[in-house]
Amino acid sequence: MAERHRLSTIGTLVDSNVLLDVITEDDEWFEWSASRLAEAADRGALFVNPLIYAEVAAGFERIEDLDDALPSSYYRRVALPWESAFLAGQCFVRYRRRGGTRGSPMPDFYIGAHAAIAGLTLLTRDAERYRAYFPTLHLVAP
């Protein structure tokens, strides 16, 4: 629990879509994502978890290149809390009961749950699901 309190005062969990916007210099989103990322870094630490790392890894052939794109000196790598696994599962059940498809949303629920449990701000471009299932989560989103 001490880890949760410590993280809550110092940082932002950065979603893969924001990282990929910056890494790929996306024509539409690079400026917005780079600006929000810089602002978040000015406020505190930037965090990635294994799910975010894995989503970004899909665009790289070598782990060394991914590590260069996400240097540990800039992005703190944090484990997923067990409590976030439970919360993600509960939110996924609510999603399915509301008619959601089985596909891809589980990683998003886990990312949202991680930020919520750790008390982190979540920087993302895909806020709709996070707002619906994590209403108390502090988001930075368009």
Side-chain angles (χ1 to χ4, degrees):
M1 202 51 89
E3 177 76 1
R4 177 181 177 186
H5 177 70
R6 188 168 52 80
L7 294 178
S8 70
T9 61
I10 60 169
T12 301
L13 186 64
V14 183
D15 202 355
S16 58
N17 52 41
V18 171
L19 294 169
L20 289 168
D21 290 344
V22 174
I23 291 167
T24 65
E25 297 182 12
D26 182 84
D27 290 341
E28 183 178 354
W29 288 103
F30 173 79
E31 187 175 317
W32 184 89
S33 292
S35 294
R36 297 301 89 67
L37 194 57
E39 290 167 3
D42 286 344
R43 286 191 307 271
L46 301 176
F47 296 92
V48 295
N49 66 30
L51 289 171
I52 294 165
Y53 186 89
E55 289 177 337
V56 175
F60 291 85
E61 291 185 22
R62 297 176 346 113
I63 194 170
E64 295 84 3
D65 296 333
L66 174 58
D67 287 343
D68 286 344
L70 298 177
S72 60
S73 60
Y74 195 72
Y75 298 97
R76 288 184 52 191
R77 297 175 186 184
V78 291
L80 293 160
W82 286 101
E83 296 89 346
S84 66
F86 179 81
L87 180 56
Q90 295 300 304
C91 289
F92 187 71
V93 167
R94 286 192 356 241
Y95 167 78
R96 292 287 292 139
R97 287 181 181 152
R98 292 179 181 176
T101 61
R102 286 187 191 266
S104 66
M106 186 52 104
D108 289 342
F109 285 119
Y110 219 140
I111 289 165
H114 183 187
I117 292 294
L120 294 168
T121 296
L122 179 60
L123 174 58
T124 184
R125 273 195 299 101
D126 187 21
E128 183 178 344
R129 187 172 294 129
Y130 297 120
R131 285 189 180 118
Y133 292 92
F134 304 97
T136 62
L137 182 61
H138 183 255
L139 294 174
V140 175

